[in-house]
Amino acid sequence: MALSRLGTRNRPGDFTWPGFVDALASLLMVFVFVLMVFVLIQANLAYRLSGQDASLSALRSELSMLGELLSLEREASAVLSADLARTRSQLDAAENRNASLAEQIAGLTQQIADKTQETSQLSAALDAEKAALADVRVRSAAQRAKLEAELAEAKSRSAAQLERLQADLTERDDALSRQAQALVTERKLSEEARFEVERLTLAMQSLKSELGRLRRLLAEKEKQAEDDKIAIANLGKALNNALANKVQELRRFRSEFFGRLRDVLEGRSDVKIVGDRFVFQSEVLFAPGQASIAEAGQAQLTQIADALIEITGQIPADIPWILQIDGHTDDIPVSGIYADNWDLSTERALSVVRFMVARGVPAQRLAATGYGEFQPIDSADTDAARQKNRRIELKLTQRVKAE
């Protein structure tokens, strides 16, 4: 191109096209550079979004646990509400009983008033009888004296008249005796009325004491219910704070553990990170249809066990973490020593657990589960899909303690 320019220097009109070609070439190079920068930015964003998906999965798991704890708190609140409703029903029954007792007290009070009025009337009658009896006695004494005087005057009279006077005197004595007996009977009735009044008074005092006790019991129950509500609220706050702290600590150690596993497994195409799980293709660890770990798989699991043992010493003992090992197979039926794919997937997960326990990982921090062919990644009826489904998954999670 430079030679062509030198050869045609004497023709100014022909310089336009080569300059335009150079400008297009420069513009194309700039466009290619911008496109490469855009591709790099897209790759970086995709990597960050994958990390955010893992964080969102962890947050969903934590929200699920928090929801379970909230349901437990709600059940405890429902039990306390039932206790409070039962206490209130007892209080209503006590109030009804108090009302009935109050009606009985009012009736007893009215009876006491009636008895008191009757006693007053009886006392007035007795007083009148006493006065009448005293008057009768005075009159009888006067009459007796008169009769004795008449008897003394009539001693000289006939015997028949003397007998008549003696009979009259005897009759009057009998009348006085009958009146005295009636007076004693009235006094006895008055004593019985007084005893009845005293008994009713004691019963009314006992009812008042029972009413006061029930009111004090009601006040104590209401205060206890308020204290229980405050205690439940404080317990819920403390439990939420403790749970948040433990979840945060487990999240930090889980992030460190998976970071180390990424370093150990870096560059391997047969191990993938899916959310918060590491997925091993079964061919890496096991021969087809077998549950014994191959030598290459043992080397991989040794590195993972060493990383897990190292991080185990840093996790506080009160965090209930476990490493969940899940076995999965394809949908091709098995033959030989295993009954079905359930059996094969479970035995493979158990083989990984036993290998890690032999390497020094605490047995109480490991769990094995077999899912057979019932949790596929790819449900297509192809060999590639079946290869994806034959896998071992590792997940560091938190064990929920049974109450």
Side-chain angles (χ1 to χ4, degrees), residues 230-286:
I230 296 173
I232 289 172
N234 294 334
L235 179 62
K237 291 180 181 178
L239 184 62
N240 290 335
N241 293 333
L243 179 62
N245 292 334
K246 295 303 179 184
V247 170
Q248 187 66 27
E249 290 183 12
L250 182 61
R251 183 190 303 168
R252 178 169 60 84
F253 289 113
R254 181 165 54 194
S255 176
E256 183 177 351
F257 172 68
F258 279 112
R260 295 187 183 184
L261 287 188
R262 286 190 183 94
D263 295 337
V264 169
L265 303 174
E266 185 177 5
R268 295 186 61 89
S269 60
D270 49 5
V271 180
K272 298 180 181 179
I273 302 173
V274 180
D276 57 349
R277 297 167 294 157
F278 277 90
V279 180
F280 289 80
Q281 297 304 130
S282 294
E283 288 77 4
V284 178
L285 303 178
F286 306 101

Side-chain angles (χ1 to χ4, degrees), residues 284-287 291-299 301 348 351-353 355:
V284 178
L285 303 178
F286 306 101
S292 300
I293 303 175
E295 292 184 1
Q298 292 180 4
L301 292 178
R348 285 180 171 179
S351 296
V352 175
V353 168
F355 180 83

Side-chain angles (χ1 to χ4, degrees), residues 76-90 221 225 228:
S77 297
V79 171
L80 288 174
S81 298
D83 291 340
L84 182 59
R86 186 164 54 253
T87 303
R88 290 190 179 278
S89 65
Q90 293 176 358
K221 289 293 184 181
D228 290 342

Side-chain angles (χ1 to χ4, degrees), residues 93-161:
E95 289 291 341
N96 293 332
R97 183 182 176 189
N98 291 340
S100 177
L101 291 175
E103 292 177 358
Q104 294 179 7
I105 290 171
L108 292 174
T109 304
Q110 183 63 34
Q111 292 179 8
I112 290 171
D114 295 337
K115 291 292 184 180
T116 303
Q117 185 176 1
E118 292 177 4
T119 303
S120 299
Q121 293 175 357
L122 289 173
S123 298
L126 287 174
D127 293 337
E129 289 291 336
K130 288 179 181 179
L133 183 59
D135 185 55
V136 169
R137 285 179 177 176
V138 171
R139 290 197 304 271
S140 296
Q143 290 177 0
R144 186 183 183 92
K146 182 179 179 181
L147 288 173
E148 288 176 354
E150 291 176 356
L151 181 60
E153 292 176 356
K155 278 183 180 181
S156 59
R157 297 178 181 179
S158 62
Q161 187 178 6

